[in-house]
Amino acid sequence: MMVDTVFLLPGQGGYTPGLFAGDDSPEVREVLDTADRIAAEFGRGGVSHLLTHTDAPSAADLVRSDSFALQLAVFTAAVGSFRIARRRHTPDVVVGHSMGEIAALTVAGAFSTADGARLVCHRSEALLAHCPSEGGMVALDLPTGRAAHLVGAVADRRLAVAVSNAPRQTVVAGPDEAVAVVARLAAALGAQATRLNAPFPFHSPMLAVAAEAFGEAITGIRQHPLRAAVYSPVAGGYLQDDTDLKALLVRQLTTPVRFMAAVRELHADGAQRFVECGRAGLSGLVRRSVPEVDTTRTAEARGAGATPAPETGATPVPAPAATPTPVGTGPVASGVSVLDELRELYASVLGYPVEVITGDADLEADLGIDSLKRAEMLGKVSAHFGLGESAVDGRFVAQPTLADLAALIAEVRGGAAPVARATPAPAVTATPTPVGTGPVASGVSVLDELRELYASVLGYPVEVITGDADLEADLGIDSLKRAEMLGKVSAHFGLGESAVDGRFVAQPTLADLADLITAVQPSAR
């Protein structure tokens, strides 16, 4: 089918305190009232206050204190934001990210708003009752293939690639200990690894029992014909009226989300405008996955090829004027703190989920923002907050965290919105690998010797260097580095002129190289 406009409905990360503050429209009020009514059916308090009061608990607070309310608030935010987005655009296709699939199916007519909320509540109850508590999720700045290789290296069946978001953003879910190992391995490879503020290890085998309980609980909910096209990143295609959508939602708990593939297929079908219903960072993921498309968030327009306007939520943000704006007159959304605006802006430009950008994360050490990128971002910060020449002050570039930068902006602006520090993201440190010196002990296979040699020279943990890992695609060893390594391999195994043979450099994996070494030098066994 031909597609022009795609609406994206967020899952985790889609909740923002006070998202609908100041919006008294009947269509949003109806969603809020419905969510409160369904929460009461389950013996729970309503969630409308979370989305209408800017001083409501943060997502991090709700993860710790009330994940049930958080999940229902995420759904309500997505459906309400869809209704706001529909004021300006008409979608050709609706896509839900993770739990956002329930909201996508609801706005497409497969379920009533009340039943959509019931699906979320049953899902939350199943997770609370049956999900092990020691699980979590980590976002890796790695392609899916390389992230999958790390998961394989850890060898824990409960660990899985959960979400493929963008060319270099993959989320892994599983037991806390295994997730921590993956984070350390990624850090050893020089990749950013950030623990997500997720209440459960979504899209992993750890949720199998919860998924079964969820399926049993929703048998009485009725599925209706779709009134709009829906593309599922879990099913990997368009959904039909004869698709068992409840079964899909059950399967989704343990099945990976292929968001990047969905975006690229829709782009191939002609999609040129992606409208994010909310502000969870999906727009940034789209821009990292496909070129030259319009990305818009709720009640905010962005044109392809233009400098991205700051993403600050439901209120449109005017484009910066050519003449510097006087200090203190830049756009600050009502009820949104300077820190929250900075987090949104950095997430939008860098393509990170907004929950990754915490106030106390070190911009360079934790987020990988080097001095050049920091200077570029300060230009955008200056335009967004109307700082003018104030931003030239060396104090701005010297601030190590967004919380520090927010405090300085508030000081310079003199009366900006209050600054609130976010919970710091746990630091991920690499476990140093001892550097090897010469051949390993006799009796070790050629492959194991190769793994030890490559690990010692490259500084990788040896468990990352598996026999079937593609040297270039999985381990990032380019042709020049491969040639350098072959010199060391030749010296180590005494191959002499044999290593000049072009077959050596052509071997894609260490297992293939080990086989060739054994064939050429039988004594290497």
Side-chain angles (χ1 to χ4, degrees):
M1 62 178 293
M2 289 301 296
V3 177
D4 178 68
T5 300
V6 177
F7 275 21
L8 305 172
L9 280 75
Q12 303 306 313
Y15 164 69
T16 299
L19 180 65
F20 299 139
D23 190 324
D24 297 322
S25 62
E27 64 266 33
V28 171
R29 185 73 255 170
E30 190 271 334
V31 178
L32 293 170
D33 290 345
T34 300
D36 287 350
R37 175 167 57 84
I38 301 306
E41 285 184 9
F42 285 77
R44 303 276 185 161
V47 297
S48 60
H49 67 286
L50 298 175
L51 295 164
T52 55
H53 296 109
T54 55
D55 60 351
S58 67
D61 291 334
L62 291 175
V63 164
R64 293 187 292 267
S65 64
D66 194 349
S67 65
F68 183 99
L70 175 60
Q71 303 304 295
L72 185 55
V74 167
F75 167 83
T76 307
V79 175
S81 294
F82 171 88
R83 295 186 176 189
I84 291 172
R86 199 171 50 184
R87 298 170 187 168
R88 297 184 59 182
H89 304 285
T90 300
D92 297 305
V93 180
V94 179
V95 178
H97 185 285
S98 187
M99 195 189 78
E101 287 218 81
I102 298 179
L105 292 171
T106 297
V107 301
F111 303 106
S112 67
T113 303
D115 278 344
R118 290 187 182 98
L119 286 168
V120 172
C121 292
H122 282 303
R123 184 179 186 269
S124 295
E125 287 199 330
L127 288 167
L128 287 167
H130 301 288
C131 179
S133 59
E134 72 284 1
M137 307 181 81
V138 62
L140 307 177
D141 186 23
L142 287 172
T144 300
R146 296 188 73 184
H149 177 66
L150 296 187
V151 168
V154 175
D156 187 322
R157 292 184 177 180
R158 298 169 297 169
L159 187 70
V161 170
V163 188
S164 173
N165 271 329
R168 289 187 62 85
Q169 207 223 69
T170 306
V171 179
V172 169
D176 285 335
E177 184 177 348
V179 165
V181 173
V182 167
R184 289 197 296 272
L185 295 178
L189 294 174
Q192 177 69 26
T194 306
R195 186 66 180 257
L196 297 184
N197 203 19
F200 304 105
F202 295 109
H203 312 294
S204 79
M206 291 186 73
L207 302 191
V209 176
E212 183 178 354
F214 175 43
E216 292 173 354
I218 62 176
T219 54
I221 292 179
R222 182 182 175 189
Q223 175 179 326
H224 304 278
L226 290 164
R227 298 195 303 267
V230 179
Y231 188 103
S232 168
V234 169
Y238 293 96
L239 302 179
Q240 308 298 327
D241 285 336
D242 59 358
T243 304
D244 187 338
L245 299 178
K246 290 185 291 183
L248 172 65
L249 294 175
V250 170
R251 181 163 61 90
Q252 189 220 55
L253 282 172
T254 56
T255 303
V257 175
R258 298 178 178 87
F259 182 71
M260 180 179 69
V263 167
R264 287 181 167 175
E265 180 166 339
L266 291 166
H267 182 246
D269 286 346
Q272 288 298 311
R273 179 184 294 114
F274 290 82
V275 179
E276 180 179 352
C277 299
R279 47 180 181 177
L282 299 185
S283 298
L285 298 177
V286 169
R287 293 193 297 276
R288 293 169 67 181
S289 301
V290 293
E292 299 179 351
V293 295
D294 292 341
T295 57
T296 305
R297 297 198 307 174
T298 306
E300 172 198 86
R302 170 178 287 109
T307 301
E311 300 189 6
T312 57
T315 304
V317 178
T323 304
T325 309
V327 174
T329 61
V332 178
S334 174
V336 179
S337 73
V338 174
L339 176 57
D340 284 339
E341 291 204 58
L342 282 172
R343 292 177 62 222
E344 293 280 348
L345 177 59
Y346 274 67
S348 163
V349 174
L350 299 173
Y352 289 175
V354 72
E355 62 264 28
V356 168
I357 313 292
T358 60
D360 290 331
D362 187 283
L363 294 174
E364 184 166 358
D366 294 329
L367 299 178
I369 304 173
D370 61 23
S371 55
L372 289 176
K373 191 67 176 179
R374 191 180 300 190
E376 175 190 337
M377 287 303 303
L378 279 177
K380 299 180 186 299
V381 168
S382 176
H384 179 72
F385 289 100
L387 298 175
E389 294 184 359
S390 300
V392 180
D393 185 334
R395 293 179 299 164
F396 281 84
V397 78
Q399 301 305 313
T401 72
L402 288 190
D404 296 313
L405 182 57
L408 180 58
I409 291 171
E411 175 189 332
V412 170
R413 287 172 56 89
V419 177
R421 284 184 177 267
T423 303
V428 179
T429 55
T431 303
T433 304
V435 177
T437 55
V440 295
S442 61
V444 179
S445 72
V446 173
L447 175 57
D448 285 340
E449 289 198 62
L450 282 171
R451 292 177 61 221
E452 291 283 350
L453 178 61
Y454 273 65
S456 68
V457 174
L458 299 173
Y460 289 178
V462 71
E463 58 263 40
V464 171
I465 313 293
T466 60
D468 60 356
D470 187 284
L471 294 174
E472 184 167 359
D474 293 328
L475 299 179
I477 304 172
D478 62 22
S479 56
L480 289 176
K481 191 66 177 179
R482 191 180 301 191
E484 175 188 336
M485 287 302 304
L486 280 177
K488 299 181 184 297
V489 169
S490 177
H492 182 84
F493 289 100
L495 298 175
E497 294 185 1
S498 300
V500 180
D501 186 337
R503 293 178 298 166
F504 281 80
V505 78
Q507 301 306 312
T509 70
L510 288 191
D512 296 313
L513 184 56
D515 289 343
L516 180 57
I517 291 171
T518 303
V520 171
Q521 190 85 331
S523 62
R525 281 189 183 276

